[in-house]
Amino acid sequence: MNVSIYSRTLDATPQPISTTLDVVKGHGLGGCMVASVFDVSKTLDPSELRDVRAYAESLGLFLDVAGGQINPYHFGKREDIVAAGDGDFRTGLERVLLAAQILGCSATFFTVGALVDRFSRSVPWANQVAATTSFLKSLRPFLLDHDLRLDVKTHEEITSDECVRIVEQVGPDVMGIGFDPVNVLVRLEAPVESARRVGPYCTRAFLSDADLFFTASGIDRKLRAVGDGILDWPGMLAVLAEAGAEPSLTIELHRGQFGMPIFDRAWIAAQTDLRLPELAEVVRLTVVSEEKLKDPARPPREAFQVNVLERLPATLAYLPTLLGSELPVGAGVSG
């Protein structure tokens, strides 16, 4: 099973794509997810795109593409896409998706927003989801005509239920779900149960991990190397397989720091799709994390939060165990 890595995991600042691909190859991985097609060609030049694809293929790598945010209330903020569409977001997005296809990527993942959007006082979150769903429905003919798919990611601001509803309303023939379990924790969802919900539509999964810790206001999420946190990755992959999902796998070592103020009654009341058994499971996982921290050999809770590359060697070392294969992986971080 080939595993890719998100390019911004390797460096938050875009590097020449050839440099990034060389680093990915050095780690023994199968592919690279570029953070934006504009990181490959600022003008979406087909010749540039084909040259990069050819170079990736010469290294035995495949390319995947992140599409960024799709939310009608924020179209104006996507200056790159608006410019590519000569002032029109839809036209720009269509050109971006076709450019990604030239790279060999016919399924681009996207996010609906950020945590601040869910709690916006100017535009209710439900309105943002409805507007995004309506826009995606209008893209159906284009996606069908060009054999393209969009994958909505379980980002920190959106519940897995909301992702499922978006896919079912737009159509699973053109929509899938990118499952990122460290994010469903922020929405107080039990990761294994979330995997069960998204399973029928899961087309990709993001490899990451986390610990949880109690604070005066609730619970904080701290990020760990894959296999070193409290996520049951073998269990989640088994659940996805039972649902018939064959997701692609991408390493994404997150940088975001989030807390869940579960002791705030107003905040809890605002959590749509909240299930008490899953809240209890998140609390249980927090207890597990706290117990693990009592081990003197355990890194402190703040470890690995600034330099995400500190989590990469252990993540790479865990992959063969997780995948049950002899997947070759690099021994450390290069470049």
Side-chain angles (χ1 to χ4, degrees):
M1 188 184 299
N2 280 335
V3 178
S4 65
I5 189 167
Y6 185 52
S7 62
R8 297 288 170 85
T9 285
L10 297 170
D11 200 315
T13 303
Q15 300 296 310
I17 186 63
S18 59
T19 300
T20 300
L21 293 175
D22 288 342
V23 173
V24 173
K25 178 65 175 179
H27 287 311
L29 294 166
C32 177
M33 173 186 283
V34 294
S36 168
V37 72
F38 296 105
D39 288 355
V40 179
S41 173
K42 294 186 182 302
T43 62
L44 307 184
D45 179 77
S47 295
E48 284 186 289
L49 297 167
R50 292 190 189 98
D51 286 347
V52 170
R53 178 176 178 176
Y55 184 68
E57 291 177 346
S58 75
L59 296 176
L61 301 175
F62 64 90
L63 291 167
D64 198 357
V65 179
Q69 190 180 98
I70 298 178
N71 182 327
Y73 286 94
H74 296 313
F75 282 172
K77 297 179 181 178
R78 295 300 310 274
E79 296 179 0
D80 51 355
I81 291 185
V82 171
D86 300 320
D88 180 68
F89 181 90
R90 176 193 297 276
T91 301
L93 179 61
E94 291 176 351
R95 290 173 179 169
V96 162
L97 296 177
L98 292 175
Q101 194 171 50
I102 293 174
L103 289 174
C105 173
S106 294
T108 301
F109 95 85
F110 71 97
T111 61
V112 176
L115 197 58
V116 65
D117 294 307
R118 185 172 193 92
F119 299 100
S120 171
R121 294 184 178 181
S122 58
V123 183
W125 174 244
N127 292 14
Q128 296 180 56
V129 173
T132 300
T133 304
S134 179
F135 176 76
L136 293 169
K137 285 180 179 179
S138 75
L139 280 178
R140 269 187 61 84
F142 172 81
L143 297 172
L144 287 169
D145 286 347
H146 295 280
D147 195 24
L148 294 169
R149 189 184 77 231
L150 286 170
D151 296 335
V152 58
K153 186 183 186 185
T154 58
H155 209 222
E156 64 266 9
E157 80 287 348
I158 195 167
T159 68
S160 61
D161 293 271
E162 288 166 335
C163 289
V164 167
R165 289 193 287 268
I166 289 173
V167 171
E168 291 180 341
Q169 291 177 50
V170 178
D173 51 346
V174 296
M175 288 283 302
I177 292 176
F179 180 51
D180 194 333
V182 297
N183 286 332
V184 303
L185 289 169
V186 181
R187 300 268 55 82
L188 302 179
E189 297 184 22
V192 172
E193 292 306 311
S194 292
R196 205 176 310 281
R197 277 190 290 277
V198 306
Y201 308 120
C202 183
T203 50
R204 62 174 75 229
F206 293 87
L207 297 175
S208 51
D209 214 329
D211 276 340
L212 300 171
F213 299 99
F214 290 115
T215 67
S217 60
I219 296 173
D220 272 2
R221 182 193 76 176
K222 297 298 180 182
L223 302 158
R224 298 294 186 192
V226 179
D228 191 40
I230 43 77
L231 292 182
D232 179 9
W233 268 109
M236 289 186 293
L237 291 182
V239 166
L240 293 175
E242 288 171 8
E246 297 181 355
S248 62
L249 300 177
T250 300
I251 296 169
E252 183 185 5
L253 305 180
H254 291 247
R255 290 178 166 83
Q257 303 291 328
F258 301 114
M260 298 83 84
I262 63 172
F263 305 140
D264 183 329
R265 291 188 179 183
W267 188 87
I268 281 288
Q271 302 313 302
T272 59
D273 301 317
L274 178 65
R275 297 168 172 85
L276 272 180
E278 295 194 38
L279 170 59
E281 173 63 4
V282 172
V283 171
R284 186 190 72 82
L285 292 174
T286 306
V287 173
V288 171
S289 292
E290 295 276 8
E291 286 297 314
K292 288 168 64 176
L293 195 60
K294 293 178 182 178
D295 182 347
R298 182 74 175 163
R301 58 184 290 176
E302 297 299 332
F304 314 126
Q305 302 307 300
V306 177
N307 181 3
V308 302
L309 288 181
E310 292 177 339
R311 293 180 237 144
L312 187 55
T315 294
L316 294 172
Y318 177 66
L319 287 183
T321 299
L322 175 63
L323 303 179
S325 69
E326 297 301 319
L327 178 71
V329 294
V333 176
S334 61

